[in-house]
Amino acid sequence: MKSEAVLKLFRDSGALLDGHFILSSGLHSRNYLQCARVLMDAKRATRLCKALAGKVKQEINKGIDYVVSPAMGGVIVGYEMGRQLGVPAMFLERENGKFTFRRGFELETIQGRKPRVLMVEDIVTTGLSSKEAISAIREHGGSVVGATCLINRSGGKAKIGVRLLSLADLEIETFQPKNVPADLKSVKAIKPGSRSLGK
């Protein structure tokens, strides 16, 4: 699936919006990504993850034993990627501010070796949560063979310590509240997303 087709699916589903947005960080932007919107439709989610799994099979030349995702954003993509790759899928949750396995999830040793894990996100922005997830996987005995996301929002700039495959790269420009361009100031700002800005 080409990058243009992926971004079209996001736009058509209302997951990629144009306008004036105040992000959860407090920064302003002309674009907003809400991956949950594109994953609302199971057929669309399957189509995207099938394409991503195909890329993984072509470009990661190691067997994969588990898919692990950070909650919340990566859970749906992770489980569908596990289905596409035919391996168990688990997710990490924050406990005292740190990613860990809960709910009885654990990475089991396979034939005396560390299990090979693919870390799966929906969207990578700065790469911070991806790096935290990779660190947690390693702390729990996993060997991270690569990472994937539907959209790399850093435009390919995020460095997470392992190879990161995405269906599309997209660089979304952001602005400090005091440095919003004049053309954007003329558009009413809205605060989308799942997190409060603390106001």
Side-chain angles (χ1 to χ4, degrees):
M1 184 180 287
K2 293 185 177 179
S3 177
E4 296 81 10
V6 173
L7 295 177
K8 185 176 187 307
L9 278 179
F10 270 73
R11 286 191 188 281
D12 290 349
S13 63
L16 176 55
L17 302 173
D18 300 314
H20 183 181
F21 305 97
I22 302 175
L23 308 178
S24 57
S25 63
L27 297 174
H28 291 237
S29 175
R30 289 187 175 90
N31 306 102
Y32 184 75
L33 269 171
Q34 177 48 273
C35 199
R37 292 278 307 173
V38 80
L39 299 172
M40 284 172 58
D41 182 283
K43 289 181 181 178
R44 193 166 49 219
T46 297
R47 182 179 173 196
L48 288 166
C49 291
K50 184 177 180 180
L52 188 55
K55 198 166 186 178
V56 168
K57 290 172 185 175
Q58 284 184 335
E59 300 189 33
I60 296 180
N61 298 319
K62 295 179 181 178
I64 295 167
D65 302 307
Y66 296 99
V67 164
V68 174
S69 304
M72 272 291 298
V75 174
I76 295 173
V77 177
Y79 271 84
E80 182 57 30
M81 285 293 288
R83 190 173 78 86
Q84 293 292 335
L85 295 169
V87 299
M90 297 180 270
F91 57 88
L92 297 156
E93 296 175 86
R94 290 196 185 275
E95 189 172 75
N96 299 319
K98 185 177 178 181
F99 275 134
T100 190
F101 285 114
R102 299 175 63 191
R103 305 173 194 274
F105 290 149
E106 61 180 312
L107 297 172
E108 297 179 8
T109 301
I110 297 173
Q111 298 175 346
R113 64 167 172 80
K114 289 184 176 183
R116 293 183 288 255
V117 179
L118 179 72
M119 195 283 296
V120 175
E121 286 253 41
D122 55 351
I123 304 222
V124 168
T125 302
T126 63
L128 180 61
S129 68
S130 297
K131 286 190 280 190
E132 289 179 23
I134 288 167
S135 178
I137 292 165
R138 288 174 174 158
E139 286 175 12
H140 285 85
S143 173
V144 181
V145 298
T148 64
C149 62
L150 295 177
I151 294 184
N152 185 344
R153 214 196 86 177
S154 76
K157 294 178 182 176
K159 305 300 178 192
I160 63 171
V162 298
R163 187 172 184 192
L164 175 63
L165 300 176
S166 66
L167 284 182
D169 284 357
L170 181 67
E171 190 163 8
I172 295 179
E173 194 175 12
T174 57
F175 309 95
Q176 292 289 341
K178 293 181 180 179
N179 295 319
V180 175
D183 67 300
L184 206 53
K185 285 181 181 176
S186 66
V187 179
K188 183 180 178 182
I190 61 172
K191 300 176 187 176
S194 56
R195 288 185 288 176
S196 165
L197 290 176
K199 293 184 178 179

